[in-house]
Amino acid sequence: MTELPLIGEAIAVAAEPRLAGAKIGVVTFPGTLDDRDAARAVRLAGGTAVPLWHADTALGDVDAVVIPGGFSYGDYLRAGAIARFAPLMAKIIDAANSDAKLPVLGICNGFQILTESHLLPGSMIKNDHLKFLCRDQVLRVENSNTAWTLDYEAGQEITVPLKNQDGQYIADEKTLDALEAEGRVAFRYVGFNPNGSRRDIAGISNAAGNVVGLMPHPEHATEVGFGPQSLDGIGGSDTDGLGFFTSVLNKIVGGAK
C-alpha cells in the first residue's frame, strides 16, 4: 500500500536523520482506529514505523512497540480483554519482560490492553459519569525517567487530546500506594479529572520504565496547526505529544540528543 504523504510535513518539528534507523512497531487489532495516527507520529519524530498485525506470530526486528487506541474487538466482553489473547501480544509480553526490556507504549485502548495483559497493574472501567468524553486535556509529567518520557521535565504540563468511555483507572489502595512510592505514576490529570481515575492518574509505568500506558492521545498532538492549540494560529502546545516518540527514539539510538 502506498504511504500517504504527511500533510503537515513542511511545518513539522525537524527530525534528526540519526533517528531514522529506529523501528517502532505499531499494532493493529480488529477495531483499532488510531494506528495510522501513531505511525504518523513515529515518522514525524524521525523514526521508521513498522505495521504489526494482531495475528502475527513474530515481532520482527522492531526496537519498540506502540499499541494504539480504538475499540479492539469492539470492546466486547471488556475493553482490551480479548486483544490480550492475540498471538502478537504473547510476543510483546515476553519481549517487554525480557532482559532486553522492549519499550512498549499503550495509548487509550492500548493502556486497557496493557492492564489486561498484566504488563501494568490496575484496571480500566467506565468513566464515572458514564459518558464518552472528548476534550483537550492538561497533563502533568510526574516521571520523566521512562523510555517514553525522557524528553520531558518532571512537573512539566502538556496538553493532548483525550477521548474515551472506559477511561477510569482503578486499583486497590495497596497498589496505588506502591505506584506513588515507586514513582510509577507517569502522568496526572491537571485542573479536571475527566473520568474519575483514582488519584487523578492519567498514566503509569512498570517498575523498569520500559512499559507506559496512558488514556490521553499524544499521537494527536504532534504537528503544528493540527493539535490542541490549532485555532490560535500560532501552534503553542500543538506538538506537546511529540516528546513521547522522540523520547523512545533517543533512548534506542542513544548518544546526545
Side-chain angles (χ1 to χ4, degrees):
M1 182 173 63
T2 302
E3 188 63 64
L4 293 176
L6 296 177
I7 296 173
E9 191 169 22
I11 54 176
V13 174
E16 299 181 50
R18 71 186 182 88
L19 302 178
K23 297 179 180 180
I24 312 300
V26 179
V27 184
T28 300
F29 297 92
T32 296
L33 56 81
D34 289 314
D35 44 352
R36 291 178 69 88
D37 301 77
R40 182 185 184 91
V42 170
R43 297 195 305 274
L44 283 168
T48 299
V50 179
L52 297 172
W53 183 238
H54 69 108
D56 290 345
T57 56
L59 280 171
D61 60 349
V62 299
D63 301 299
V65 168
V66 177
I67 305 177
F71 304 90
S72 59
Y73 297 92
D75 279 351
Y76 293 118
L77 181 61
R78 188 173 62 248
I82 301 176
R84 178 261 179 272
F85 293 101
L88 189 64
M89 280 308 301
K91 302 301 181 182
I92 292 173
I93 293 168
D94 288 345
N97 288 328
S98 70
D99 292 341
K101 292 181 172 48
L102 180 79
V104 179
L105 175 67
I107 303 170
C108 197
N109 187 232
F111 186 12
Q112 295 160 346
I113 294 169
L114 292 179
T115 61
E116 291 289 341
S117 303
H118 303 296
L119 281 172
L120 293 175
S123 186
M124 313 300 303
I125 63 173
K126 297 282 185 196
N127 296 342
D128 58 353
H129 45 76
L130 301 180
K131 296 179 181 178
F132 178 87
L133 181 65
C134 181
R135 57 172 273 138
D136 291 339
Q137 179 65 49
V138 179
L139 305 176
R140 184 170 59 248
V141 180
E142 301 283 19
N143 184 347
S144 60
N145 291 318
T146 78
W148 300 91
T149 59
L150 293 170
D151 285 353
Y152 295 107
E153 299 290 335
Q156 181 179 348
E157 294 187 1
I158 62 175
T159 303
V160 297
L162 173 143
K163 48 178 184 174
N164 62 65
Q165 178 171 285
D166 297 87
Q168 183 178 176
Y169 178 73
I170 63 170
D172 60 74
E173 288 300 309
K174 181 179 180 181
T175 298
L176 292 171
D177 288 343
L179 289 173
E180 301 277 12
E182 296 168 13
R184 292 170 56 191
V185 176
F187 298 93
R188 223 181 289 268
Y189 297 116
V190 174
F192 173 70
N193 186 326
N195 43 42
S197 291
R198 302 299 186 268
R199 305 190 188 185
D200 298 330
I201 291 174
I204 61 174
S205 75
N206 67 346
N210 60 306
V211 179
V212 170
L214 79 163
M215 286 310 297
H217 288 259
E219 77 280 15
H220 295 326
T222 56
E223 291 181 85
V224 175
F226 297 91
Q229 299 297 319
S230 60
L231 295 179
D232 65 10
I234 298 175
S237 60
D238 282 359
T239 61
D240 274 2
L242 195 64
F244 283 78
F245 305 95
T246 58
S247 289
V248 76
L249 293 176
N250 280 308
K251 168 101 176 148
I252 293 166
V253 173
K257 297 180 183 178

